[in-house]
Structures are given as structure tokens and as C-alpha cells.
Amino acid sequence: MAEQTATPVTAPAAPSAPEPTTLWVERTGTRAYTGRSSRGAEVLIGSQGVPGVFTPGELLKIALAACSGLSADFPLSRKLGDNFDATIRVSGDADRENEVYPQLDEVFELDLSDLDEEARERLLVTVQRAIDKVCTVGRTLKAGSKVTLSFDIEA
């Protein structure tokens, strides 16, 4: 009689969490930086008036608008289809005396002409709830955030 051996069965490995994205900026010239991510993204940052760059304040506003758009994308695509058009305009003047943006205003531009008034209202309520619930940037701005700074100095 042949001897039987059992082959151990191993459970498939649980999917590992993706590595956290590392973010940094590097100085590339006088009042000019390039923002980078470990995923390979880049954004040019500089002073107002310099062509081809965003100011840090503009990036803050864009982050807010993009977060709102991403937060609303699922409920909108579920109702309007995957190919809907949307533009989120964001503005807000800086209070230069205090160096803050006291108010940021977003305008979500959507074509809802194919929906009746009741369906539009329901969708807009759903979109607002989604943004209020999952837009991390907007939630952080509304709540405020502790910011720390340290220095790594070569002596």
C-alpha cells in the first residue's frame, strides 16, 4: 500500500494595505518649489504672478474643490451615468492682514436638465450629504487642524 502524504493547504495571504503616500516639496528656484508624491505626481508651486505655477493658497482651494467633486462622484454617476460633466469653481480672497482665507466659496456646476424638480432636489441633498460626510479637506477646514513644524538640521 502506497503511503499518502497530505500537502498542507495555505490560505491566500490577506491583501496588504497600500504603502502610505509620502509628500514633500523641493526648492527649485527663488520662491519656486515642486510638490512631489511617492506615487510620481508633481505640481509646480510659486508666487502669484509667476506663470505656470500654483500658489499654496490656490492649491488649498483646488484641494477643496477636488475633494467635493470626488466625494460627490458616486451619487452623481449613479444618477447621471458615468460620463456626466461637472465643474466645481472655488474662490475666496485672502485677508492679508491676518494671512488667512476667512471664507471659501464653491459653486458646483451640473447639467440636471434631464431630471424633474423633485429628482434634482433629492440628488442635490444626497450630494451635499456625501460631501459633508466624506470630504476630508472640507471637514478639516471647517473643524480646524493642529499643525506642527519641526526642523531636521545638518550641523
Side-chain angles (χ1 to χ4, degrees):
M1 186 159 157
E3 188 174 308
Q4 295 181 353
T5 58
T7 304
V9 177
T10 56
S16 60
E19 288 292 317
T21 301
T22 304
L23 304 172
W24 69 98
V25 296
E26 294 174 354
R27 187 173 190 266
T28 55
T30 303
R31 296 189 50 81
Y33 287 78
T34 298
R36 302 185 190 280
S37 85
S38 57
R39 295 191 325 268
E42 294 184 345
V43 63
L44 302 178
I45 307 162
S47 297
Q48 187 172 5
V50 175
V53 302
F54 290 106
T55 68
E58 290 166 342
L59 288 173
L60 174 76
K61 293 173 197 176
I62 287 172
L64 175 62
C67 189
S68 292
L70 290 168
S71 299
D73 206 70
F74 180 70
L76 286 170
S77 64
R78 193 174 56 219
K79 189 70 173 176
L80 303 176
D82 287 335
N83 296 321
F84 72 92
D85 292 325
T87 300
I88 301 110
R89 299 193 188 278
V90 60
S91 61
D93 294 330
D95 169 353
R96 289 297 172 206
E97 186 175 316
N98 296 300
E99 290 299 332
V100 298
Y101 291 96
Q103 181 170 331
L104 298 175
D105 300 305
E106 295 179 278
V107 177
F108 214 125
E109 297 174 359
L110 292 165
D111 179 359
L112 302 181
S113 60
D114 289 343
L115 303 178
D116 64 44
E117 188 174 337
E118 188 177 315
R120 280 195 300 269
E121 277 302 311
R122 279 194 315 268
L123 179 58
L124 293 177
V125 167
T126 301
V127 166
Q128 183 69 61
R129 284 183 185 150
I131 293 169
D132 290 345
K133 183 177 180 182
V134 299
C135 178
T136 307
V137 175
R139 291 172 59 85
T140 299
L141 288 170
K142 289 174 185 173
S145 183
K146 179 181 175 183
V147 177
T148 64
L149 172 66
S150 61
F151 295 90
D152 185 0
I153 306 295
E154 293 181 27

